[in-house]
Amino acid sequence: MKKPYFWDYPPRKDKPKHLEQLKLIINQTKMKKLKTTKPWVLSLLTGLGLASCVSYFDGEFEELSFTGEIAIPLGYVDYTIGELLEEVSSSDLVIGTNEENVLTFVYSESITAQNGADLISIPDQNFDIDIDPEINMPTPSPIATTQTINKDFDIQFSDISANNEELTMASFNGGKLILELSSTLPVSAQVDILIPSLLSKETGQAYSSTGFVSPDSSVLTFEENLDKYEADLTLSASDSESAFNNIKIETVTTANIRVGDQIQSGQMIVLNVNFTEPKTDKLIGNFKQQEVDVENQTLSFNVFDSFGSGELYFDEPVIRMTFSNSFGIPIGLDLAGIIASKTGEESRALRGTIVDDYQIIAAPSVDNVGESVETTIEITKSNSNINELISYKPDAFEVNLVGLTNPTNGPTQENFVLNNSTVDATVEVEIPMVVSFDQVEISELIEFDQSENLEQVKALTLKVFSENSIPLSGNLRMEFLDASGSVVLTSDQNQVFNAAPVGANGKSSGVISGESEFVFNASDIETITTAKELRVVALLNTYEQGQGTVVKLSGDDQLRLNVSLLTSINANF
Amino acid sequence: MKKHLIFGIFFLSTLGIYAQGNLSFYQLRDLVPQTQSLTPANMPENGFTFSIPALNSSLQATTDFPIEDLIVQRGNGNLAVDFDNLLSVSEDNNTLGTDLTTNLFHLQLTRGKGSFTVFSNLRAEASLNYTSDLVNLLANGNGQSVGETILLEERIDLTTYNEIGVGYSRSFLGDKLIIGIRAKYLNGQFYAGTGESGSLGIYTDPSNYNITLTSNDISIQTAGTDILLNSEEYESSAFTDYVTWTDNTGFAADIGASFKFNNFTFEASVTDIGSITWREQVVNYVLPNETTTLAGVDLDNSDDPTSEIQDQIDDFFETQETYEEFTTTLNMKTYVSASYTMNDAHRFGLTMYNNNIYGEFNPSYAVSYNWFLGKKTTIGALTSFGGQIQEPKFGANIATNLGFLQFYAATDNFLNLTKPEEGRGADIRFGINIMLGYNRI
């Protein structure tokens, strides 16, 4: 039987026929249950849909994940060359610029101060003077009479030092003058003592005293504080003009002779003159030549602590020694004792014309007592091998200076010393950055623990964009160290910044850009997560590396490093 | 933070709505009273209809891509969101859409040549227009777009509202002409919508990876989001009170007409002509037009670079807030159809639908057939194409009665029900009505 098409069915309004036709369809299509199931067709369709939904969506939802690349600027670091080198130096450097605006490292330290009291002093002096009254009378004396005798004496300070100083003046600020007067004469006598060399600081009057001695009297003692006096050590009993270290003493002895006094030869009056613990606050004279002790100094010079291998040449270093001298003594300085030392390497001594003769530290004249005179001694490449010593990257300078008073190549002048005279010295090592670097290695160790931050990072490219006006290029590598200090990963060595070009004046003449990247793969990052420290090692080269070109690094030169990250992230949220 | 969340939704959300046309449900217009929401010129054959509350609903979700392109099944059966896969199928501009309608009640009385309706619906519509740049950003980050500008011009509209309305349709010219109109009072609950021309440019400089952000006319108008997201900060009954009735009111109308000529019937309707003025719980976020370059931070003087970079981004997205009321228009829908009724059992139809979202004319077309088994039952099939989904879809519909209960269901894409992961969204409309008075004529 032919299967009816839908247009064979009767119109809807023909209800009885329609029902018959419907039955026909049901029979012919074997859909016997359509009549009873038609309300549930929706349920069937919906059920099919839901069932299929379940089949796909019954799996568990995984965490939302992101696998992509994020490019992000992390930040920037601006360095001047001073900051760059300061970063790698632990030295107490003062970084400034000189008159050419060239960056200059200055390292300064004060060295010994010589105290005047230590240079020269007068020890205790003790003198016995026999005063013979020269009584010319018969014995026993037939008459009673009075006889006066004037006598002058010289006493000379001795043992002032082992250098035969010729003192012409001493001003005391301590000690005692002790005069003891005793007599072996059988007569009484008055002794007037005048010390013209010992003048009162207050009145200018010479010291004087009077004593009476008799046969039965004990020793007469006179004590005087010396700090009231200053001594003119040029006076002498003979009025010699060339006297020095001398004390002139004048005595007037008046003897009272009685009838019957028996005066024997050799009987006399004894004057003991004692300078006990004399202290002076000023001495004038000719101090002659003597060595001045300068305490050995070691100037730790750790500016190069972080500099490793490579050739480093400083073209214009200067060691400037400035002395402030308030001694009235020119001092000659022998600089041959300046030695550059470096651990594990042979020391190098300062050489050149500067060590051929004494370098003179000028002194104030006696007309300028109390003042100081400054003297600057510069050690430069024109008078020494100083650029060789600095380029040697020393750890320290040993300063073993030897001084000599009144050197023969110095001025001739009357010397003086005050008890507070000093020679103060400042040593200044000035290193202008007029340099050439050839593969000079610097490094810096910093704490580094990024284990948490790198958890979801699968690859990382660290891009460094540079803008550099410093005529210095830098090749960088990174070394990652674990807790034991062992290097667990070393990055590639890349030129991170290029050297800026240099003009005719040796200074930077422009800005140069650079770009570099450090790529770390998943394995690298896994290793990096174990790191606790990061050592950044840079090889620095000046413009025209290897050709010995010396450049001047200006304080205005700047390096900007823009650090950006390109990270491949596989993160779950 | 709240503001950033909302802007985050704007830029990152992949959920939204771009409604298709209920083209299959439209074919049930002779039997199912709720089709008046599509074509008001509807004259049911029964005298009295009462819908069972909450058992008449429709859900439509439409995407430009099969769900399995976004939610992929791993080898172990697990599911995962895969933006890489989504990117491979994305166009320059893409759409997502969802339309949820729940019929709270529907009462219809038909007498003589007129039919009167009272109804209430809970409506939720959402639409998202997103660019492939956004998907690319989500899938790959900005690392593969260095030197290019990622231009995000995403648009989103999320609206929920109640509509309460009355409708009247009447036949003229010996039942050849039917004209229907529905008037609706609207009560808005939640809204979030972007401006018309907002864009965010993200440019990654290849020379240093500096990121330049350029905002242009970015704004989001919202209503009800605060009480939705921060309900714990309100009194316990506040949320319920708010969703029950708000000061966000509006009016809308649906109009339609049908004309029969011999065996042909021509119909046209325009629905959801109206607007809502949002007054309650309004917060408008405006991002000033500006350009900011994120260049990282001064590493030498920064204790926490990550936080500082985050602060820079936060500063850029710092919005200005206003609280002025605003008015949004509904997405107006248009149906135009022509059908040929061969006899009481067979009807062929051609239907065009446009939803006018963002003012676009992007119509869908359907060719349909319905088989009528009596005046209470029909089974139909259709194929549609156009609109947001260019590839052909095959839908089905059914309506039938069991006693005084009418059951109906319709879908524009039947295959979605069997293999939804392969479909571009989901679409189903179903309901149960109490239908009386079939013998009135």
Side-chain angles (χ1 to χ4, degrees), chain B residues 2 5 23 29 63 98 110 154 276 345 352 356 396 411 421:
Chain B
K2 181 172 57 187
L5 174 63
L23 288 165
R29 58 193 181 279
T63 67
T98 305
T110 304
E154 324 318 306
I276 300 174
M352 184 215 77
N356 202 44
T411 178
E421 69 275 13

Side-chain angles (χ1 to χ4, degrees), chain A residues 202-220:
Chain A
E202 188 175 344
T203 63
Q205 298 295 315
Y207 172 82
S208 63
S209 60
T210 299
F212 294 92
V213 292
S214 58
D216 54 353
S217 64
S218 58
V219 176
L220 285 178

Side-chain angles (χ1 to χ4, degrees), chain A residues 465-531:
Chain A
F465 305 92
S466 65
E467 289 180 1
N468 187 19
S469 62
I470 304 171
L472 201 61
S473 67
N475 276 316
L476 261 64
R477 72 173 185 271
M478 287 174 272
E479 296 176 352
F480 297 89
L481 289 72
D482 63 13
S484 68
S486 302
V487 175
V488 292
L489 181 72
T490 301
S491 73
D492 294 336
Q493 178 115 19
N494 292 325
Q495 179 134 331
V496 170
F497 52 95
N498 303 312
V502 170
N505 60 0
K507 291 185 176 179
S508 168
S509 62
V511 178
I512 190 164
S513 299
E515 177 180 338
S516 62
E517 63 181 33
F518 296 89
V519 179
F520 300 97
N521 59 29
S523 173
D524 295 336
I525 290 170
E526 191 175 340
T527 304
I528 290 172
T529 57
T530 66

Side-chain angles (χ1 to χ4, degrees), chain A residues 23 214 318 360 559:
Chain A
K23 289 178 182 176
S214 58
V318 176
I360 306 300
L559 167 66

Side-chain angles (χ1 to χ4, degrees), chain A residues 34-289:
Chain A
L34 178 61
K35 185 178 179 182
T36 56
T37 57
K38 66 176 183 179
W40 308 109
V41 171
L42 170 63
S43 302
L44 177 63
L45 296 176
T46 306
L48 281 172
L50 293 176
S52 63
C53 285
V54 170
S55 65
Y56 186 84
F57 292 105
D58 59 358
E60 288 189 9
F61 257 96
E62 296 178 352
E63 290 180 314
L64 184 61
S65 64
F66 172 78
T67 304
E69 290 183 329
I70 302 293
I72 187 170
L74 190 58
Y76 56 89
V77 183
D78 286 328
Y79 284 116
T80 62
I81 183 65
E83 290 168 339
L84 186 66
L85 296 177
E86 204 172 40
E87 286 276 334
V88 299
S89 170
S90 57
S91 174
D92 298 328
L93 283 175
V94 175
I95 299 176
T97 55
N98 63 14
E99 62 279 1
E100 274 190 286
N101 197 31
V102 172
L103 190 77
T104 303
F105 289 169
V106 178
Y107 180 83
S108 64
E109 189 157 324
S110 295
I111 58 173
T112 53
Q114 176 81 34
N115 194 292
D118 301 332
L119 184 66
I120 189 167
S121 59
I122 299 174
D124 289 357
Q125 304 288 326
N126 190 24
F127 307 93
D128 282 331
I129 300 173
D130 295 334
I131 304 173
D132 184 357
E134 297 181 3
I135 299 172
N136 188 17
M137 290 291 290
T139 299
S141 174
I143 58 171
T145 187
T146 299
Q147 187 170 335
T148 298
I149 296 294
N150 295 333
K151 284 206 167 185
D152 295 348
F153 303 94
D154 286 332
I155 58 175
Q156 195 162 38
F157 285 163
S158 61
D159 300 327
I160 296 172
S161 71
N163 208 42
N164 300 317
E165 288 85 352
E166 297 174 351
L167 300 182
T168 57
M169 183 270 182
S171 173
F172 296 98
N173 64 343
K176 286 186 179 298
L177 172 66
I178 301 172
L179 302 179
E180 291 178 340
L181 201 59
S182 59
S183 175
T184 58
L185 291 172
V187 299
S188 62
Q190 175 181 319
V191 181
D192 296 316
I193 305 169
L194 179 69
I195 307 179
S197 294
L198 204 58
L199 303 171
S200 168
K201 293 178 181 174
E202 188 175 344
T203 63
Q205 298 295 315
Y207 172 82
S208 63
S209 60
T210 299
F212 294 92
V213 292
S214 58
D216 54 353
S217 64
S218 58
V219 176
L220 285 178
T221 301
F222 306 92
E223 277 193 16
E224 188 72 10
N225 289 331
L226 279 174
D227 58 0
K228 299 175 184 173
Y229 297 93
E230 59 185 23
D232 181 351
L233 303 178
T234 61
L235 300 179
S236 67
S238 60
D239 291 333
S240 167
E241 292 181 355
S242 59
F244 50 84
N245 298 339
N246 202 65
I247 297 289
K248 178 181 180 184
I249 300 174
E250 297 176 359
T251 61
V252 178
T253 305
T254 304
N256 299 313
I257 305 168
R258 294 164 298 184
V259 176
D261 285 344
Q262 295 183 3
I263 301 171
Q264 304 298 323
S265 174
Q267 291 180 322
M268 60 188 68
I269 296 169
V270 177
L271 174 64
N272 178 256
V273 181
N274 197 336
F275 290 83
T276 302
E277 297 181 351
K279 304 292 182 192
T280 59
D281 53 17
K282 180 166 69 175
L283 294 169
I284 299 175
N286 181 356
F287 296 164
K288 303 292 184 64
Q289 287 189 337

Side-chain angles (χ1 to χ4, degrees), chain B residues 355-368:
Chain B
N355 62 8
N356 202 44
I357 288 180
Y358 302 135
E360 295 173 2
F361 182 71
N362 191 13
S364 304
Y365 300 94
V367 178
S368 61

